[in-house]
Amino acid sequence: MKIPKLSHTDSGNFFLIAGPCAIESREMALEIAEKLVAITGRLRIPFIFKGSYRKANRTKLNSFTGIGDLLALEILKEVGETFSVPTLTDFHESHEAAMAARYVDVLQIPAFLCRQTDMLTAAAQTGKVVNIKKGQFMLGDSMAFAVEKVKSVHPDAEIFLTDRGNSFGYGDLIVDYRNLPMMQAHGVPVVMDCTHSLQQPNQASGVTGGKPALIATIAKAAIAVGADGLFIETHPNPSVAKSDGANMLPLNELEGLLEKLVRIRKAIF
């Protein structure tokens, strides 16, 4: 499946990576995808559907991790084929890259693993688009080395970099918008993750918290700064989501936010 051009699109819009944190069921994934395709189609926003086939980085041992790797990957493949949209998933060990690549169009390197050479080169070897999340412990300038590792294996690889905030004390994150132009200087599209940047990880309860009321604030600022794309996790009912519900945007709030963001984009470009 051809990936839409990720910057300077015909519509002049940013692109959107959106979907649930984890694939919980076929019905849920198709429901979310159908609504996202309709919204982004109307607003002429290039769209990539995301969903994790497995959640490896959980606070508690008994936290939800997934419905089964192959089942979730098959659902992602069905979403892509049903709606003719590119799909994205993250992976957590280098040997899983080839497996995931058989089902999706974009492989994502989790933020905690963005320095792992084996992960980056394994993603590059698949020939898929690679989205590298900037580590919460890194400056945007340093992401040049992650790009270099992918390019060393696949010089023509399509790469984008995603900011998801920086660690700020214990159990909180803060967004430093200087990182967006810093990463654009590496010659790749840059995305702002508007939901994970509002996480409050490693809470004493063992459940990651968040500040979803500020998603619009993060998104508006990112577009004003010049982000090429946005990453937004969304769910019909975040309160019952099996993963990261505390920082996902309710699906029924996404269209109104995107309408505002399109107007901001037009005002500054």
Side-chain angles (χ1 to χ4, degrees):
M1 181 180 297
K2 184 175 176 58
I3 302 294
K5 194 173 182 181
L6 298 181
S7 61
H8 310 297
T9 63
D10 291 340
S11 66
N13 266 337
F14 54 90
F15 65 96
L16 177 69
I17 302 169
C21 178
I23 298 298
E24 298 177 10
S25 70
R26 175 180 180 272
E27 292 73 22
M28 182 207 70
L30 291 171
E31 174 191 351
I32 294 173
E34 182 176 20
K35 291 183 179 179
L36 292 176
V37 167
I39 293 168
T40 55
R42 182 178 72 79
L43 296 175
R44 299 183 66 203
I45 298 172
F47 169 56
I48 299 170
F49 180 85
K50 75 81 50 181
S52 296
Y53 66 89
R54 176 164 25 92
K55 303 304 295 183
N57 180 21
R58 303 288 84 191
T59 302
K60 295 172 68 176
L61 181 63
N62 62 351
S63 296
F64 172 81
T65 58
I67 59 175
D69 293 357
L70 293 181
L71 176 57
L73 286 167
E74 288 284 1
I75 291 169
L76 282 164
K77 182 178 180 181
E78 182 179 357
V79 167
E81 293 175 346
T82 300
F83 299 104
S84 297
V85 294
T87 53
L88 173 152
T89 197
D90 49 334
F91 68 104
H92 295 81
E93 296 188 54
S94 56
H95 66 83
E96 295 178 357
M99 174 186 72
R102 292 195 291 269
Y103 297 89
V104 300
D105 305 286
V106 185
L107 293 178
Q108 180 170 285
I109 309 294
F112 282 125
L113 300 175
C114 70
R115 287 170 48 90
Q116 298 299 104
T117 301
D118 287 350
M119 291 279 292
L120 293 161
T121 56
Q125 287 167 359
T126 69
K128 298 292 185 175
V129 179
V130 182
N131 179 31
I132 313 169
K133 284 200 169 182
K134 182 186 73 63
Q136 301 93 321
F137 43 85
M138 291 185 67
L139 183 67
D141 282 342
S142 301
M143 292 300 291
F145 304 112
V147 172
E148 182 180 85
K149 290 175 181 179
V150 173
K151 294 283 190 180
S152 71
V153 173
H154 186 358
D156 297 322
E158 186 171 0
I159 303 167
F160 39 99
L161 299 176
T162 297
D163 189 11
R164 50 134 324 145
N166 282 79
S167 297
F168 186 68
Y170 295 102
D172 208 354
L173 296 164
I174 191 167
V175 176
D176 179 352
Y177 286 96
R178 295 176 300 174
N179 282 311
L180 301 186
M182 283 181 189
M183 293 194 293
Q184 285 171 329
H186 306 323
V188 299
V190 170
V191 180
M192 184 71 234
D193 183 339
C194 305
T195 45
H196 289 98
S197 61
L198 290 166
Q199 276 188 335
Q200 294 178 307
N202 299 321
Q203 299 295 301
S205 65
V207 178
T208 294
K211 299 178 181 178
L214 294 176
I215 291 172
T217 301
I218 298 295
K220 290 173 186 176
I223 294 301
V225 169
D228 299 287
L230 298 177
F231 180 112
I232 299 176
E233 288 190 340
T234 184
H235 192 283
N237 186 358
S239 66
V240 299
K242 295 182 178 180
S243 177
D244 280 2
N247 54 269
M248 278 198 279
L249 184 72
L251 185 56
N252 63 5
E253 296 181 16
L254 182 61
E255 186 169 14
L257 173 58
L258 291 176
E259 288 173 344
K260 294 175 183 176
L261 297 173
V262 168
R263 292 199 295 271
I264 294 172
R265 175 81 173 190
K266 288 180 179 177
I268 64 174
F269 284 100

